[in-house]
């Protein structure tokens, strides 16, 4: 799910939020071409990734062996 927080007409924060992430899960974000954009380790049940600086396009979040797709507009 992609969430946006608007401050007036300026986009202040943009992030994705994924619930039910295992603690210490390996998290990787890839673009549509398979290029690794970000790599991190989960530190709790809810994962928030700031995507404000990502270009528009399709991305994949790999959480251990599961993959979630999201579209940045």
């Amino acid at each position: 799910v992609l969430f946006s927080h608007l401050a007036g007409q300026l986009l202040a924060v943009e992030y994705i939020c994924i619930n039910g992430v295992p603690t210490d899960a390996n998290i990787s974000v890839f673009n549509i071409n398979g290029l690794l954009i970000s790599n991190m380790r989960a530190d709790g049940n809810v994962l928030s990734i700031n995507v404000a600086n990502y270009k528009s396009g399709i991305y994949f979040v790999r959480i251990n062996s599961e993959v979630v797709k999201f579209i940045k507009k």
Side-chain angles (χ1 to χ4, degrees):
V1 179
L2 182 66
F3 294 93
S4 297
H5 172 70
L6 298 175
Q9 293 184 349
L10 299 176
L11 183 63
V13 178
E14 209 171 46
Y15 60 93
I16 60 170
C17 183
I18 302 171
N19 292 317
V21 177
T23 302
D24 291 332
N26 292 315
I27 313 297
S28 301
V29 180
F30 298 90
N31 68 12
I32 190 71
N33 298 317
L35 180 67
L36 179 65
I37 303 299
S38 180
N39 201 19
M40 65 198 81
R41 186 172 289 281
D43 60 359
N45 189 353
V46 177
L47 173 67
S48 294
I49 302 173
N50 185 336
V51 296
N53 294 324
Y54 288 22
K55 295 180 180 180
S56 296
I58 299 172
Y59 293 87
F60 300 93
V61 179
R62 185 176 66 207
I63 304 168
N64 291 331
S65 62
E66 294 185 42
V67 177
V68 177
K69 178 177 97 172
F70 73 93
I71 300 171
K72 168 74 180 338
K73 294 187 178 186

